[in-house]
Amino acid sequence: MARCGGTGDVKEPDDSVREVVASVWDAANEKAGGKLCAVQAVQVLGYKTQVVAGTNYFVKAKCGDGESDHVHLRIFKGFDGKSQLHGIRLDHKLEDPLEYFEG
């Protein structure tokens, strides 16, 4: 269980986190210089949450067939239900741990 200010354990993806990722995917692709796959092809592999004045999602996703085709996303979802991309880390591998990071 997540405590206020800390991240919880990595969770299995569900439809709600997939929707959060889909809602910011265009912004993520723009920040990545257009290198990401189409949103329909992205595979959400796991995520952590951090309770703040809303929720931060730290998401691990696979976007391609290469070993380093994993991305880590930091997404903020406010109490109003709107999601914003706050950070992206490219060129991760499957075994790279999903950790807190700044934008």
Side-chain angles (χ1 to χ4, degrees), residues 2 6 12 20 27 32 34-35 41 43-44 57 64 71 74 79 99 102:
E12 291 292 318
V20 169
K35 297 190 313 184
Q43 298 174 309
V44 178
Y57 290 85
V71 297
R74 180 179 175 170
F79 293 126
E99 299 175 333
E102 293 290 329

Side-chain angles (χ1 to χ4, degrees), residues 5 8 13 15 21 26 35 48 52 54 62 68 70 79 83-84:
D15 287 342
V21 170
D26 287 342
K35 297 190 313 184
K48 291 182 175 186
V52 290
K62 181 168 175 52
S68 295
H70 295 78
F79 293 126
S83 299
Q84 298 175 329

Side-chain angles (χ1 to χ4, degrees), residues 6 12 15-17 24 29 32 36 42 50-51 53 58 61 64 67 70 72 76-77 79-80 82-83 85 91 99:
E12 291 292 318
D15 287 342
S16 64
V17 77
V24 301
N29 194 30
L36 300 181
V42 68
Q50 178 188 37
V51 178
F58 296 90
E67 184 178 337
H70 295 78
H72 291 183
F76 173 75
K77 185 174 182 180
F79 293 126
D80 62 0
K82 295 180 182 176
S83 299
L85 180 70
D91 303 321
E99 299 175 333

Side-chain angles (χ1 to χ4, degrees), residues 4 9-10 16 18 23 47 52 62 64 69-70 72 74 78:
C4 188
D9 295 329
V10 176
S16 64
R18 287 185 191 96
S23 72
Y47 71 102
V52 290
K62 181 168 175 52
D69 285 343
H70 295 78
H72 291 183
R74 180 179 175 170

